[in-house]
Amino acid sequence: MTHTNDPAVIERLLTAPGTWAVVGLSTNRARAAYGVAAYLQGSLGHRIVPVHPRAETVHGAPGVARLADVAAVLEAGTTVDVVDVFVNSDLAGAVVDEAIAIGARAVWLQLGVVDEAAAQRAHDAGLDVVMDTCPAIEGRRRGLY
């Protein structure tokens, strides 16, 4: 099966306030994740949690080294709404499996990140799936600034 992005899911994920765990987000301003996380946080009002082996604080948000550690920086009862995946396609499947394991509600595989099998696993586990597109591009396309 080839995954097809549902425009209604994209709209809901972008506009409903939520917590986005941004996997691959570091303080490197040259990386796409840095700018996209700023857009998610500043323009759309989402809470971001940087997920990177260095566990850096980015845009004022404390980072964690792994998705499994996200709960440590969230208030009790708060869940991850979206896991935004900024890793190579060959690593995306493991991140998707971790997203399923932590009870995330959705996974968003960035522009150029494609893993059909992982998308199917997420879908089968009840997660919303967006793949091979960027929330900043999709948001701006919808007039969300």
Side-chain angles (χ1 to χ4, degrees), residues 29-46:
R29 294 172 183 251
R31 303 291 302 201
Y34 189 87
V36 171
Y39 173 77
L40 290 169
Q41 183 184 57
S43 296
L44 300 184
H46 295 297

Side-chain angles (χ1 to χ4, degrees), residues 100-121:
I100 294 166
I102 67 163
R105 295 187 173 122
V107 290
W108 189 304
L109 282 69
Q110 280 295 324
L111 192 63
V113 180
V114 176
D115 185 329
E116 294 289 349
Q120 188 63 52
R121 288 194 304 277

Side-chain angles (χ1 to χ4, degrees), residues 25-28 50-58 61-65:
L25 176 57
S26 71
T27 57
N28 184 343
V51 180
H52 190 278
R54 290 193 300 266
E56 299 170 310
T57 296
V58 184
V64 296

Side-chain angles (χ1 to χ4, degrees), residues 79-102:
T79 60
V80 173
D81 296 294
V82 182
V83 173
D84 194 359
V85 183
F86 277 96
V87 300
N88 293 325
S89 294
D90 58 341
L91 302 174
V95 175
V96 169
D97 292 340
E98 290 177 47
I100 294 166
I102 67 163

Side-chain angles (χ1 to χ4, degrees), residues 3 5-6 8-10 12-13 81-83 96 99-100 104-109 118-119 122-131:
H3 175 77
N5 292 327
D6 181 342
V9 168
I10 291 172
R12 181 171 37 80
L13 294 178
D81 296 294
V82 182
V83 173
V96 169
I100 294 166
R105 295 187 173 122
V107 290
W108 189 304
L109 282 69
H123 174 77
D124 291 348
L127 281 70
D128 287 321
V129 179
V130 177
M131 186 165 59

